[in-house]
Amino acid sequence: MAKTYKPEFYPIILAGGRGTRFWPLSRKTFAKQLLPLNSAQSMIQETVARLLPMAPGENFWIITNGDLRPNILRQLKSLPRKQIVAEPVGRNTAPAIGLAAFILHRQNPNAVLGLFPSDQVIQNQKQFRKDLKAGIALAAAGENIVVMGVKPTRPETGYGYIELGSISQGEVMRVRRFCEKPEKDVAAQFLAAGNFYWNSGMFLWSARTLVNALQQYLPATAVLLKKISATWGTRNFDSTLRKLYPKCEDKSVDYAILEPRSAAGEESSNIFCIPADWGWNDLGSWAAHFEHRIAQGKHQDNVISADSTFLLEAHRNYFHAPGKFIAAVGVEGLVVVDTGDALLITTIDRSQDVGKIVKYLDQQKRLKLV
Amino acid sequence: MAKTYKPEFYPIILAGGRGTRFWPLSRKTFAKQLLPLNSAQSMIQETVARLLPMAPGENFWIITNGDLRPNILRQLKSLPRKQIVAEPVGRNTAPAIGLAAFILHRQNPNAVLGLFPSDQVIQNQKQFRKDLKAGIALAAAGENIVVMGVKPTRPETGYGYIELGSISQGEVMRVRRFCEKPEKDVAAQFLAAGNFYWNSGMFLWSARTLVNALQQYLPATAVLLKKISATWGTRNFDSTLRKLYPKCEDKSVDYAILEPRSAAGEESSNIFCIPADWGWNDLGSWAAHFEHRIAQGKHQDNVISADSTFLLEAHRNYFHAPGKFIAAVGVEGLVVVDTGDALLITTIDRSQDVGKIVKYLDQQKRLKLV
């Protein structure tokens, strides 16, 4: 028998991303979240493991796509298969979490749903769960929306920011506004200001709050999601999903709900931020992965996966060729990743351009390589 | 029936070297001479092919070692198996060519033997064979020794040099002296002087001349070689070779015979040089191989063996990963060579240090990798 939690908490893990910047390890059927970038477990396995103390396995939902679902099922055998849902087409975060919200709303409008990316590192898990617990309590009350904000450590232009307003209670802050990915100089201003946090993509709200918000801000999509949710548990679910889900609007939760709602002003929007300091890292590139591995202390100087090595004047390289002997002489700052069918050769400084390779392969219809 | 040639010419190809600077492609059982570095044929196949118009296959001898012999047999199926001889231990060039000389001397003292490395590129084969023909005629007369000298194009410190003396006849020159590998400044003087040529390692002499020279300069070794040669064609050959060959002196033809003989002075030593201009290249490293491929016009900018590629701001790299898709972004002057068990990552500038990797692997007794 499952333990009972009050309020009942449902982690909804979004796992439909491709993570092309980890090519050639990441593939359409084996994306970044399936890779063991932080430990022996994959990113999605770690995501589930750190949430399992907060909710029984039967409460977990994974929203992914048909390419990734088979490998996700293989990696997450303890979770309910039917709750590992493949979107027929990608429709961004609003319909993804909305579908779970409408289904769970029928069972328990007071259920608290947490939206979680599937490919992030969190080092201080104790603090993460403490913050999450506070957030769940806050989300269970009224129509509150809670977002986890990460204290910025650099003027990053790859993330959205949250501007914090006044203190609500304890360390919880009211959100003043959501800011899309800024230019470099604006990001520097945000960092200097001190009250801007990175949008981690983690949100908490009750099923009722989310269903109401969807009906208010995405009414057409809400109608479709409600229809789909009505077939949950029946043999018609799959066909209804395939038919109606593609008609949902392709919008993010941030853009569709949070930004317009925050426009009502920090006092009335009831959006709260829990400022997080958990050693968060989204490992956005080979460079970020390299720096993370060095910071972890698991490697010094070079970060290498290999059977064995010979290094002569080789520094700050990322080499991945498991099972092979790697010999490196007189090279610095390189990224070399070797798979059975592909070889990536670039530098740590240029690793953000790896996505361009996948774009090229997509254009060339080199299906086996993407 | 074999064609008859006058004088009868026997190519003796030395193929016992390891060529460690082509690791990880070159291995103890698959050395540089077995690699297709210049064309679809391996270096030793090319060596045989360019000599076959000069002598029938039955005249060829290959001196190699037990590690390499099986793969050499596989690559040179048309040559007589028994004349692909494995030295029980390496004893440098004097005993290697000496063994063939004593065996052939019993059959025909006037036979002309040519000593040839097995791993060099010669682009102008017509001129090569024209020069060789002149050299064979010269070597057949009296006690002459003929060396092929290569016009130097840079102050190379990796080769021995030949100082030329007076003109003998036509383009043939008398040799004044043999010079061992020089320091950089001496090499520059040689280049400037104009009468110094690279020692290509190619020599021509009659069986009689060579047997006489061995008896004069390496008398103890000559006795051993004579004993071994007496068992040629009998079932005792292998065991005699195994027993006596290791007792031969470990000396090069240059050091044991040519240098002392040239000390007699250019008029009486009867050593001649045919100055060669055939587009000769000994491909001594990945860098030399890279430059040669570019010079051949087979590649521009990058030299790549792969199934297919995506290159973005990648210049003057040498990449080898046949069958794979290679993606390179923002890298220059690299050497990356991928095999099933090893990955080499270095630069064109540092490729002369690749031998150090093999030295390390030898020390570590990583037998499968060397």
Side-chain angles (χ1 to χ4, degrees):
Chain A
M1 228 178 87
K3 289 174 278 181
T4 51
Y5 297 78
K6 296 261 176 198
E8 208 166 5
F9 174 55
Y10 291 82
I12 318 294
I13 298 170
L14 297 189
R18 263 178 95 176
T20 58
R21 277 181 292 184
F22 282 92
W23 184 92
L25 284 197
S26 66
R27 303 292 174 107
K28 231 177 188 167
T29 60
F30 209 89
K32 178 187 161 199
Q33 54 270 31
L34 291 160
L35 298 174
L37 296 176
N38 183 54
S39 72
Q41 288 194 306
S42 74
M43 303 300 281
I44 197 170
Q45 284 173 326
E46 285 192 347
T47 302
V48 169
R50 75 174 156 256
L51 290 165
L52 268 174
M54 308 292 293
E58 67 197 49
N59 281 19
F60 281 68
W61 288 68
I62 313 279
I63 314 296
T64 182
N65 60 50
D67 289 325
L68 291 165
R69 188 171 183 267
N71 285 322
I72 290 177
L73 285 170
R74 237 164 257 140
Q75 288 199 355
L76 299 176
K77 288 190 173 148
S78 67
L79 298 191
R81 286 177 66 90
K82 64 171 184 171
Q83 284 163 214
I84 299 179
V85 178
E87 300 171 291
V89 291
R91 281 292 175 261
N92 214 323
T93 52
I97 180 98
L99 177 63
F102 272 96
I103 292 172
L104 293 169
H105 185 261
R106 296 167 68 90
Q107 300 169 15
N108 175 8
N110 295 319
V112 172
L113 279 63
L115 180 64
F116 299 96
S118 58
D119 59 352
Q120 300 181 340
V121 168
I122 289 172
Q123 286 179 299
N124 187 343
Q125 306 206 14
K126 207 169 161 182
Q127 185 61 42
F128 167 72
R129 284 191 287 264
K130 197 180 151 204
D131 289 346
L132 191 57
K133 206 170 166 183
I136 291 168
L138 190 58
E143 293 268 319
N144 295 337
I145 297 176
V146 180
V147 50
M148 301 297 206
V150 175
K151 196 165 177 57
T153 54
R154 58 183 186 275
E156 174 66 51
T157 58
Y159 306 143
Y161 285 70
I162 304 158
E163 184 184 355
L164 305 191
S166 53
I167 292 170
S168 169
Q169 53 183 49
E171 290 193 353
V172 178
M173 311 288 289
R174 284 190 176 270
V175 170
R176 187 166 294 156
R177 64 179 174 120
F178 288 85
C179 314
E180 301 198 13
K181 294 174 185 174
E183 295 294 318
K184 197 85 186 174
D185 55 336
V186 176
Q189 289 168 24
F190 287 175
L191 186 67
N195 65 325
F196 286 80
Y197 275 60
W198 289 336
N199 184 343
S200 70
M202 299 184 208
F203 303 102
L204 299 160
W205 32 38
S206 69
R208 185 194 317 105
T209 302
L210 187 49
V211 161
N212 287 348
L214 285 160
Q215 284 171 334
Q216 181 179 354
Y217 295 110
L218 291 177
T221 292
V223 169
L224 295 163
L225 294 173
K226 193 170 186 181
K227 281 186 187 166
I228 300 169
S229 70
T231 66
W232 178 248
T234 75
R235 64 176 57 179
N236 294 329
F237 177 74
D238 283 352
S239 62
T240 311
L241 183 71
R242 266 201 303 279
K243 206 173 89 187
L244 300 185
Y245 196 83
K247 297 179 181 171
C248 292
E249 290 157 274
D250 190 352
K251 288 192 174 159
S252 70
V253 160
D254 308 51
Y255 181 79
I257 297 174
L258 300 173
E259 288 182 26
R261 178 146 162 178
S262 71
E266 67 177 78
E267 288 304 326
S268 55
S269 67
N270 286 333
I271 306 179
F272 299 89
C273 177
I274 297 190
D277 188 12
W278 318 308
W280 176 90
N281 193 328
D282 82 332
L283 299 184
S285 65
W286 289 116
H289 182 42
F290 171 84
E291 295 297 351
H292 178 63
R293 282 298 209 191
I294 295 288
Q296 276 181 313
K298 290 187 182 171
H299 299 262
Q300 285 157 347
D301 197 0
N302 296 287
V303 176
I304 303 182
S305 298
D307 167 66
S308 49
T309 59
F310 172 83
L311 303 174
L312 179 63
E313 290 155 50
H315 303 293
R316 289 185 59 77
N317 298 289
Y318 182 92
F319 296 147
H320 179 95
K324 286 193 185 179
F325 173 76
I326 296 180
V329 179
V331 287
E332 194 164 338
L334 294 185
V335 173
V336 179
V337 180
D338 180 26
T339 66
D341 55 356
L343 185 60
L344 167 67
I345 305 164
T346 186
T347 65
I348 286 175
D349 290 345
R350 294 296 297 274
S351 70
Q352 78 281 7
D353 286 332
V354 169
K356 291 179 185 171
I357 302 165
V358 179
K359 200 171 166 187
Y360 167 83
L361 290 168
D362 279 340
Q363 283 165 353
Q364 297 289 313
K365 305 207 188 309
R366 299 291 301 269
L367 302 179
K368 286 185 183 171
L369 285 167
V370 296
Chain B
M1 231 177 84
K3 288 174 275 179
T4 51
Y5 298 79
K6 295 263 177 198
E8 208 165 5
F9 173 56
Y10 291 82
I12 318 294
I13 298 170
L14 296 188
R18 263 177 96 177
T20 58
R21 277 180 291 183
F22 282 94
W23 185 91
L25 283 197
S26 66
R27 302 293 173 107
K28 234 178 186 165
T29 60
F30 209 89
K32 178 189 161 199
Q33 54 270 32
L34 291 160
L35 299 174
L37 296 176
N38 183 54
S39 71
Q41 288 194 306
S42 74
M43 303 300 282
I44 196 169
Q45 284 174 326
E46 286 192 348
T47 302
V48 169
R50 76 174 156 255
L51 290 165
L52 268 174
M54 308 292 294
E58 65 197 48
N59 282 18
F60 281 68
W61 289 67
I62 314 278
I63 315 295
T64 182
N65 60 49
D67 289 326
L68 291 166
R69 188 172 184 267
N71 285 322
I72 290 177
L73 285 171
R74 234 163 261 141
Q75 288 199 357
L76 299 176
K77 287 190 173 147
S78 68
L79 299 192
R81 285 177 67 90
K82 63 170 184 171
Q83 284 163 215
I84 298 180
V85 179
E87 300 172 291
V89 292
R91 281 291 174 263
N92 214 323
T93 53
I97 180 96
L99 176 64
F102 273 95
I103 292 172
L104 293 170
H105 185 260
R106 296 167 68 90
Q107 301 169 16
N108 174 8
N110 295 320
V112 171
L113 278 64
L115 180 63
F116 300 97
S118 57
D119 59 352
Q120 300 181 339
V121 168
I122 289 172
Q123 286 180 298
N124 187 344
Q125 306 207 13
K126 206 167 162 185
Q127 185 62 42
F128 167 72
R129 284 191 286 264
K130 197 180 153 205
D131 289 345
L132 191 57
K133 206 169 169 186
I136 291 168
L138 190 58
E143 294 267 319
N144 295 338
I145 298 176
V146 180
V147 50
M148 300 298 205
V150 174
K151 195 164 179 54
T153 54
R154 59 183 187 273
E156 175 66 51
T157 59
Y159 306 143
Y161 283 71
I162 304 158
E163 184 184 354
L164 304 190
S166 53
I167 292 170
S168 169
Q169 52 181 51
E171 290 193 354
V172 178
M173 310 290 288
R174 287 192 175 267
V175 170
R176 186 166 293 156
R177 64 177 174 123
F178 289 84
C179 313
E180 301 197 13
K181 294 174 186 175
E183 296 294 318
K184 197 86 185 174
D185 55 337
V186 176
Q189 289 168 24
F190 288 175
L191 187 66
N195 65 325
F196 286 81
Y197 276 61
W198 289 336
N199 184 342
S200 69
M202 299 184 207
F203 304 102
L204 299 160
W205 32 37
S206 68
R208 186 194 319 105
T209 301
L210 186 49
V211 161
N212 288 346
L214 286 160
Q215 284 171 334
Q216 180 181 354
Y217 296 110
L218 290 176
T221 292
V223 169
L224 295 163
L225 293 174
K226 193 171 187 180
K227 281 186 187 167
I228 299 169
S229 71
T231 67
W232 177 249
T234 76
R235 64 175 58 178
N236 293 328
F237 177 75
D238 283 352
S239 62
T240 311
L241 183 72
R242 266 200 303 279
K243 206 173 89 187
L244 300 185
Y245 196 83
K247 295 178 181 171
C248 292
E249 291 158 274
D250 189 353
K251 288 191 172 159
S252 70
V253 160
D254 308 51
Y255 181 79
I257 298 174
L258 301 173
E259 289 183 24
R261 178 147 162 177
S262 70
E266 68 177 75
E267 288 304 327
S268 55
S269 68
N270 286 332
I271 306 180
F272 299 89
C273 177
I274 296 190
D277 189 12
W278 317 308
W280 177 89
N281 193 327
D282 82 331
L283 299 184
S285 65
W286 289 117
H289 182 42
F290 170 84
E291 294 297 350
H292 177 63
R293 283 298 209 191
I294 294 289
Q296 276 182 312
K298 289 187 183 173
H299 299 261
Q300 285 158 345
D301 196 2
N302 297 286
V303 176
I304 303 182
S305 298
D307 168 65
S308 48
T309 59
F310 173 82
L311 303 174
L312 181 62
E313 289 155 49
H315 303 292
R316 287 184 62 77
N317 299 288
Y318 182 91
F319 297 147
H320 179 95
K324 286 193 185 179
F325 173 76
I326 295 179
V329 178
V331 288
E332 194 164 339
L334 294 184
V335 173
V336 179
V337 181
D338 179 26
T339 66
D341 55 357
L343 185 60
L344 167 67
I345 305 164
T346 186
T347 64
I348 286 174
D349 291 345
R350 293 298 297 272
S351 69
Q352 78 281 7
D353 286 332
V354 169
K356 292 179 185 172
I357 301 165
V358 180
K359 202 171 166 186
Y360 166 84
L361 290 168
D362 279 340
Q363 284 165 354
Q364 297 289 311
K365 304 205 188 308
R366 299 290 302 271
L367 302 180
K368 287 185 183 170
L369 285 167
V370 297

